[in-house]
Amino acid sequence: MFYSSVKFRLKHALKLPFQHIFAKWLAKRIPANNQQQLTSKNIFIFPSLFGFAFLAFILLLFLLGTNYQNNIVLLLCYLLVSFFITAMLHSFFNLSGIRLQADTHVTGFAEQNLHLALTITTGKPRFNYQLAVKEQNTVVYNAIEAGKTKLTIPYCQPKQGVYSVERVKISSYYGFGLFVTWTHLDLAYQAVIYPKPLPFDNLKALAVMPQNSAANNSGYQNQMILRGNDDFFELRAYQKGESYNHVAWKQLAKGQGWLTKTYGEQQNQQRQLQLLQMPATTLEQKCQQLCFLILEYHQLGDEFSVQIFDNLIPLGHGEQHLEQCLTALAKVKLPQHEVA
C-alpha cells in the first residue's frame, strides 16, 4: 500500500512539469481562437500500438528475407511498407483541411452534463472522429458528411464559477488503425457554471423587505404588484421573455414602444432574496439554496431582487433577469477549503 502511494506521487510529480511545458508550447503553436482550421501546423500523427506491432512484423519479415535471400518475402516486406506509408497519409488527410467554429458562450449548473457547441465545415466526408475535453466523456462520430455539421462535446464542472474551458482534443484512428491523428485546440470556450440548486423548506420566509436606504433609493417601492388576471393596473416597459399576451399592442402601433399591461390582485411586500439570509452553514450551500430560490420565483413569474454581498440586482423578472441573477451568483468566490 505504501509502495503504491509513493509510486503514484512520484509519477504525478514527474508528470506535472512535462504537462506545464507541453501546455506552454501548445499555447505558442496553437493559440486560442473560436475559429480554427486544421493544417500540418496543428495536426499531430503517431503510430498506434497496432501500428508499432505492424512495423515489428515488417522488420521481422525483412530480417527473414535478407537472411534467407528470399526475394518474395522481401517483395512482401516492401509492399507492406508502402501500405504503411499510404495509411499514414490517408489518416492525416482525414483530419486535415476541416474548419471549426465554436459557440463560446456556455452556461449550466454544477455537476450537470453540458454540451459545447461546435460547427465543422468540410468539403468531403470524414470518418471516426473522437472529441473530448480532458479525456473525459469522449464522444465518437463515425461519419461526418460534407458541408456544415453541428457537433456537441460533453463538459462537466463540479463547482460553480467562471471557467476557461480546457483544450479540446480531436483524434481519429481512421485508416486501418495503424496511426492515431490528433490535435489539441483552444476554442476560447467560456463556461459560466451556476451553483447546483439545493431544495429546502420555508421559501417564503426568506423573501424579505430591503431595510437599507440605498435599496429604497434604487427604484424600490414599499409594495409590489402580483401579476394576476383581475383589473388592469399599469403599463410598464416590456422585458425579454415575457408573454406576448400582455403586450400593449395599441400603444405599440402608436409608436410608444414595447409596453406590458400589468394586472393587479393585491398589494404585497416586494421580494428581495439575500445570500447571507440563507440558512446553510457554508457559503457554497448558501449559493445553492439561493439558486434554488431564484429558479422557484422565476417559474412562478414573480418579480424579485437579489442581494449578493454588496451587489444588488434590481427588481425584475423574465429570462434576462434570471440569467443576470444566476451569473452574479456563479461569480461568488468560494473559500479554498470549500473548493477542494
Side-chain angles (χ1 to χ4, degrees), residues 24-178:
K24 192 174 181 180
W25 178 78
L26 273 179
K28 290 183 178 181
R29 186 174 181 87
I30 312 175
N33 198 331
N34 70 321
Q35 296 184 16
Q36 302 271 5
Q37 182 164 2
L38 298 189
T39 64
S40 58
K41 295 182 179 180
N42 51 20
I43 294 178
F44 311 98
I45 186 168
F46 203 71
S48 62
L49 290 177
F50 177 59
F52 277 113
F54 191 81
L55 278 176
F57 178 69
I58 293 176
L59 180 60
L60 179 62
L61 284 181
F62 180 76
L63 293 176
L64 289 174
T66 54
N67 186 47
Y68 292 100
Q69 298 183 355
N70 191 320
N71 292 332
I72 296 179
V73 174
L74 289 175
L75 178 62
L76 177 61
C77 179
Y78 298 148
L79 285 174
L80 291 177
V81 169
S82 63
F83 175 77
F84 187 79
I85 295 174
T86 302
M88 178 181 64
L89 295 174
H90 206 51
S91 179
F92 172 79
F93 285 115
N94 182 54
L95 214 62
S96 177
I98 67 171
R99 293 193 301 274
L100 305 102
Q101 183 169 1
D103 184 0
T104 57
H105 185 59
V106 183
T107 59
F109 296 91
E111 300 181 18
Q112 180 187 64
N113 286 327
L114 308 179
H115 299 282
L116 308 179
L118 180 65
T119 302
I120 289 183
T121 305
T122 174
K124 65 178 183 179
R126 309 285 177 152
F127 303 95
N128 187 239
Y129 275 22
Q130 301 177 23
L131 295 87
V133 177
K134 294 180 64 176
E135 306 291 340
Q136 298 177 359
N137 299 324
T138 301
V139 59
V140 179
Y141 292 92
N142 292 321
I144 299 176
E145 300 296 331
K148 289 187 177 181
T149 304
K150 292 186 177 181
L151 309 179
T152 56
I153 308 170
Y155 179 70
C156 182
Q157 275 288 352
K159 297 290 184 180
Q160 69 185 69
V162 180
Y163 298 91
S164 295
V165 179
E166 296 84 352
R167 288 180 176 267
V168 176
K169 181 180 180 181
I170 304 175
S171 59
S172 176
Y173 284 89
Y174 181 70
F176 305 98
L178 294 174

Side-chain angles (χ1 to χ4, degrees), residues 293-305:
L293 274 180
I294 291 172
L295 294 174
E296 284 292 309
Y297 280 112
H298 172 72
Q299 291 178 359
L300 292 173
D302 292 343
E303 291 184 331
F304 59 92
S305 62

Side-chain angles (χ1 to χ4, degrees), residues 159-221:
K159 297 290 184 180
Q160 69 185 69
V162 180
Y163 298 91
S164 295
V165 179
E166 296 84 352
R167 288 180 176 267
V168 176
K169 181 180 180 181
I170 304 175
S171 59
S172 176
Y173 284 89
Y174 181 70
F176 305 98
L178 294 174
F179 289 88
V180 54
T181 312
W182 77 97
T183 185
H184 290 274
L185 300 177
D186 188 343
L187 294 167
Y189 284 112
Q190 292 292 323
V192 180
I193 306 299
Y194 309 138
K196 180 182 178 181
L198 180 62
F200 64 105
D201 298 328
N202 300 326
L203 303 184
K204 301 299 181 182
L206 295 171
V208 301
M209 288 282 294
Q211 299 297 328
N212 55 65
S213 59
N216 294 327
N217 294 331
S218 300
Y220 286 102
Q221 300 174 355

Side-chain angles (χ1 to χ4, degrees), residues 110-111 158-160 194-200 275 278 282-295 329:
E111 300 181 18
K159 297 290 184 180
Q160 69 185 69
Y194 309 138
K196 180 182 178 181
L198 180 62
F200 64 105
L275 176 63
M278 298 299 108
T282 66
L283 181 58
E284 181 181 9
Q285 290 179 340
K286 286 180 182 289
C287 290
Q288 292 174 348
Q289 290 176 342
L290 180 56
C291 179
F292 176 75
L293 274 180
I294 291 172
L295 294 174
L329 197 55

